[in-house]
Amino acid sequence: MAEFTMELNDDQKQVRDWIHGFAADVIRPAAAEWDEREETPWPVIQEAAKVGIYSLDFYAQQFFDPTGLGIPMAMEELFWGDAGIALSIVGTGLAAIGVVANGTEEQIGTWIPQMYGTPDDVKVAAFCSSEPDAGSDVGSMRTRAVYDQAKDEWVLNGTKTWATNGGIANVHIVVAVVDPELGTKGHASFIVPPNTPGLSQGQKFKKHGIRASHTAEVVLEDVRIPGSCLLGGKDKLDERLARARERARAGGGERVKNAAMATFEASRPAVGAMAVGTARAAYEVALDYAKTRTQFGRPIIDNQGVAFQLADMRTQIDAARLLVWRASWMAVAGKPFTSAEGSMSKLFASEMAKKVTAQAVQILGGNGFTREYPVERMHRDSAIYTIFEGTSEIQRLVIARTLSEMPIR
């Protein structure tokens, strides 16, 4: 187990600089165009695939960094470039991680390559969990998966929403209810192969921010998939459901729920790192502007009102990064989040990003309110961090429950 440190080693610095260079040279110049077009930036994804950033190997290398800093470092640099394009690049990773975490070796080997495609023919994947009536409340999920034993097929029906790459993906990973009586313990994940009849794209959302990232509903109407597309296999599912039923009878359901919550906790620092990247980008624009913009015969950074804002912005960015890196290290080191440190990092970083990008707009004044300067886009993009992967309100609830050891409602 690596000791916690804020100092990157030489290999990590090299990777960081490589990603930063791609973000500066490829992502940033394309950011405004794809934000206006509100379309998936396929050419940028293809460039990322050619250099090796858009690949499972890249994310696996960062994920298995023994210090835990690989993923947050990569996320910060990519989202420093642009949040919408970066989410288009990393969005497939959500589905890929779902397969790697829950799938068999055969499923991993079969489906992961189809999620990414090749540098000459890039593909994307979608992870479909949220529903119109089941966002933060995953226990209200209605999408059903029913097993047809005679044909060894699963039949899926329901509607998913807020799916990154939903409908345009080559492979969809769908979370569905297999046993409604078990609540969240009765859920399972399924692979929906390319061109499966019954799966269609519903509404494509026109969003306030991250507009280069495709977000849409996914409609499932009698979608039949082979039994082999149940992640982990049916034997494993049957064993898990049997254990859940036994625990429910023994009154141990709450303990199981807390164990599942700990799993979600471990993924939240990555979102915090995205927020840090966007906030850092806005801060740097504001700092450069304050140094060069003159009013009343001097740079506006000479005015205490502006200088103090920049001081606060930098302090909050560094504080957020520290929380994110601490939680990331704890997760890889196997240390329990006894104070919901994962949620803490996501909560603080996401709220910080909204505040810092708003301050950047204010420092640029009228210019900051126009699309001629990137802080306007960064401010719009920052709003998503307090919403996805659990809203700020949900993060506070998780933290409060953890600290009080009580079921706060």
Side-chain angles (χ1 to χ4, degrees):
M1 181 183 70
E3 293 296 324
F4 178 67
T5 176
M6 290 293 290
E7 181 66 31
L8 300 178
N9 60 41
D10 290 341
D11 290 341
Q12 290 170 323
K13 290 177 181 177
Q14 185 176 8
V15 172
R16 178 200 61 191
D17 293 345
W18 169 55
I19 302 171
H20 183 83
F22 181 83
D25 298 339
V26 181
I27 294 179
R28 277 208 168 176
E33 175 188 353
W34 291 100
D35 177 73
E36 290 287 346
R37 292 174 63 168
E38 298 192 53
E39 297 175 357
T40 301
W42 292 108
V44 183
I45 298 174
Q46 186 174 40
E47 288 300 312
K50 287 180 179 179
V51 301
I53 290 178
Y54 185 69
S55 70
L56 180 64
D57 288 344
F58 169 74
Y59 294 110
Q61 290 174 10
Q62 304 316 310
F63 182 80
F64 289 111
D65 182 329
T67 69
L69 302 185
I71 289 294
M73 177 187 66
M75 293 301 105
E76 179 177 338
E77 296 304 328
L78 287 172
F79 281 75
W80 171 90
D82 176 69
I85 293 178
L87 192 57
S88 291
I89 292 173
V90 307
T92 293
L94 297 174
I97 290 171
V99 174
V100 171
N102 302 300
T104 64
E105 290 186 8
E106 182 179 358
Q107 288 171 332
I108 294 170
T110 299
W111 296 108
I112 296 297
Q114 295 187 52
M115 290 182 172
Y116 286 93
T118 67
D120 294 324
D121 184 23
V122 294
K123 305 292 185 182
V124 295
F127 183 76
C128 308
S129 178
S130 293
E131 298 183 3
D133 295 319
S136 298
D137 182 12
V138 294
S140 296
M141 188 177 294
R142 295 180 180 179
T143 297
R144 291 295 306 275
V146 178
Y147 184 58
D148 184 341
Q149 188 170 3
K151 296 183 178 180
D152 186 26
E153 291 180 339
W154 288 91
V155 184
L156 277 59
N157 281 282
T159 299
K160 294 296 182 178
T161 193
W162 310 122
T164 299
N165 299 329
I168 66 170
N170 198 47
V171 178
H172 291 77
I173 303 301
V174 177
V175 182
V177 179
V178 295
D179 189 334
E181 294 182 358
L182 292 176
T184 58
K185 307 306 171 293
H187 295 177
S189 297
F190 299 85
I191 303 162
V192 181
N195 304 314
T196 298
L199 184 147
S200 62
Q201 178 183 308
Q203 176 187 5
K204 178 187 175 182
F205 296 104
K206 295 181 72 67
K207 305 189 298 296
H208 174 66
I210 55 167
R211 302 198 303 192
S213 174
H214 177 96
T215 310
E217 290 181 331
V218 174
V219 181
L220 305 144
E221 297 177 312
D222 291 328
V223 173
R224 284 185 169 269
I225 57 175
S228 60
C229 287
L230 166 64
L231 280 176
K234 194 164 187 308
D235 289 344
K236 184 177 179 181
L237 172 64
D238 289 341
E239 291 175 4
R240 179 167 63 81
L241 294 178
R243 289 196 301 270
R245 294 184 188 108
E246 181 62 31
R247 285 171 177 153
R249 285 192 293 268
E254 187 63 32
R255 186 181 66 84
V256 178
K257 179 187 288 188
N258 290 338
M261 187 174 289
T263 301
F264 287 116
E265 271 282 274
S267 70
R268 286 171 173 156
V271 179
M274 298 173 187
V276 171
T278 299
R280 190 183 109 211
Y283 159 76
E284 290 175 359
V285 173
L287 178 62
D288 289 342
Y289 186 88
K291 289 178 177 178
T292 57
R293 172 70 168 174
T294 59
Q295 291 286 281
F296 305 107
R298 61 180 182 178
I300 62 173
I301 198 171
D302 285 353
N303 298 311
Q304 197 175 78
V306 173
F308 279 13
Q309 282 194 74
L310 289 164
D312 287 343
M313 292 159 73
R314 177 59 186 267
T315 300
Q316 291 171 47
I317 291 168
D318 283 10
R321 184 185 297 108
L322 180 58
L323 284 171
V324 167
W325 283 20
R326 179 186 69 168
S328 300
W329 171 78
M330 289 177 68
V332 79
K335 293 186 175 294
F337 288 157
T338 55
S339 299
E341 287 86 353
S343 285
M344 280 185 181
S345 68
K346 198 266 187 185
L347 171 64
F348 186 87
S350 59
E351 294 287 348
M352 174 277 299
K354 288 181 66 175
K355 182 176 180 180
V356 165
T357 55
Q359 288 176 300
V361 170
Q362 188 69 24
I363 289 172
L364 269 67
N367 286 327
F369 199 65
T370 71
R371 294 188 184 180
E372 297 300 314
Y373 287 80
V375 292
E376 178 271 341
R377 184 180 69 252
M378 294 167 183
H379 183 44
R380 286 188 285 107
D381 290 342
S382 69
I384 193 60
Y385 301 126
T386 63
I387 298 172
F388 69 1
E389 277 280 334
T391 63
S392 288
E393 291 74 22
I394 289 295
Q395 307 308 320
R396 291 185 174 98
L397 184 62
V398 170
I399 296 167
R401 283 178 171 174
T402 303
L403 297 178
S404 66
E405 298 181 349
M406 295 290 287
I408 297 171
R409 298 185 183 278

